[in-house]
Structure formats: structure tokens, C-alpha cells
Amino acid sequence: MPKLKKTILFILCALFVSACATPRAAVNPAFDFDAVKSIQVGNFGGGVAGMGVQSAFIRRLLAMGFAVRTDGGADVIIDGAVTTYVPNRNFLIRTPEDRRGNIFFMNDVTEIGGSAMYDLGTAFGIEGGRIMASNAIVGISAFMKDASTGEIVWSFSHTHQSLDLQGALNNGVRFVLRTLPRSRPQR
């Protein structure tokens, strides 16, 4: 029996470690990332979601010290698509109590605003009303190509959750850009 316990413990540890492993970006090892001084940022599919992701990339790349463009003339082009774009939402939920004081949820849900739900407490002035909130989710699939050759030199995808949409955008883009082979241009 002790051998079975060790085997189960080993399997559980292996599952835990593999679940915590960070995915790696696909990188062309022959490309000189240290030579990159300017980056053109694409529109990531347009629309509100694409413009939000593009703006987050521009902000983060500027903070990293890169010259950033949107109209050409850069060393590389970073582009991609928004794969998931779910703003955080708030819901008003009626939660009547039974005679024993037990709260139960009914189908009377009205959106006032994700995936994870949080109970924010009672709704002021509404008997039995509670406010629930969900996370915002942003999924980004990005790639970088050499502006002179068109060759793809880096690619990465990530989905990020946060309490609000701006947090999901900023932290998702920060996580994606951390996978670049180097972090700052040498000026």
C-alpha cells in the first residue's frame, strides 16, 4: 500500500507542476532581437477590442523603451488577433430568504454591468437584492515579423482574466511581451 500512495503522490505532484508551467513563445533563434529599435503595432482585428489591444501594446512598448509606430518604417511589425474579449459585468440578483433565513437564488437575474463571479453584497434599497460581478477576459494571439523580409520571428498567445477590462488588457499584453527574447532596446 505505501507504494500506491507514493505513486499517487507523484502523479499529483506531476499534474500540479505541469499545470503551473508557463507556455513558451515560438521564436526564430536566427533573428537578432537586440537589433530591434522600432516596432510597428498592427490593429489586432479592428473594432473596439482590436483598438484596445493595440493601445495596450503601444503603451507597454513605449514603457519598455521602443520607438513605436502604426504606419510603417519600423524594424519589425507586431500584429495578431483578439481571440477573446469579455468585459466584466455586474448582475442584480434577487435572493429571497426562506423561513429559516436560508438564502436561495431564483431565475430573476438582471444584468447591470467573465467567468468568475463575486458577491459584492446587498443592493441598497432592494429587499433580497444582491450584486454579483464577473471577471473581464481578454485573449490575445500575437506575432512579430521582420519588416524587411516579412519573415515571422516570434509568436505567442495568452488569455488573461482580471477584475476589470483595463486590467485584463494591460496585464495580458504585459504577459505576452514578457516572452520576447529581450526586454529593452539598446540605445
Side-chain angles (χ1 to χ4, degrees):
M1 194 68 167
K3 185 172 181 159
L4 179 62
K5 286 182 181 180
K6 286 181 183 180
T7 304
I8 291 172
L9 182 61
F10 175 76
I11 291 171
L12 289 175
C13 287
L15 286 173
F16 177 75
V17 170
S18 66
C20 295
T22 302
R24 297 179 62 136
V27 176
N28 178 345
F31 185 75
D32 183 10
F33 286 91
D34 292 328
V36 175
K37 305 285 186 254
S38 62
I39 298 177
Q40 176 184 332
V41 179
N43 66 10
F44 287 85
V48 173
M51 289 188 309
V53 171
Q54 181 188 40
S55 294
F57 266 97
I58 290 169
R59 266 191 316 279
R60 187 69 192 147
L61 289 167
L62 285 171
M64 292 170 70
F66 288 101
V68 180
R69 304 184 60 97
T70 58
D71 60 354
D75 300 325
V76 295
I77 302 165
I78 210 169
D79 207 347
V82 178
T83 59
T84 307
Y85 193 81
V86 180
N88 53 301
R89 300 179 308 180
N90 295 318
F91 302 89
L92 175 61
I93 299 176
R94 301 270 312 178
T95 57
E97 296 180 11
D98 64 14
R99 292 181 192 176
R100 296 181 197 154
N102 296 321
I103 295 174
F104 58 94
F105 293 97
M106 298 180 66
N107 291 334
D108 182 19
V109 177
T110 305
E111 183 175 350
I112 58 174
S115 66
M117 295 291 291
Y118 303 98
D119 185 350
L120 299 179
T122 59
F124 179 75
I126 300 175
E127 185 177 330
R130 301 198 64 79
I131 297 175
M132 304 291 286
S134 68
N135 279 349
I137 307 169
V138 175
I140 303 164
S141 181
F143 63 90
M144 180 184 287
K145 65 182 175 180
D146 186 324
S148 61
T149 67
E151 179 182 9
I152 305 293
V153 297
W154 168 87
S155 180
F156 189 72
S157 296
H158 177 66
T159 301
H160 198 86
Q161 287 190 48
S162 188
L163 294 176
D164 64 1
L165 187 56
Q166 198 62 45
L169 279 169
N170 290 336
N171 292 321
V173 166
R174 180 179 292 125
F175 190 88
V176 167
L177 288 175
R178 278 193 349 212
T179 68
L180 285 174
R182 64 151 205 358
S183 60
R184 296 190 184 273
Q186 305 297 317
R187 292 189 184 194

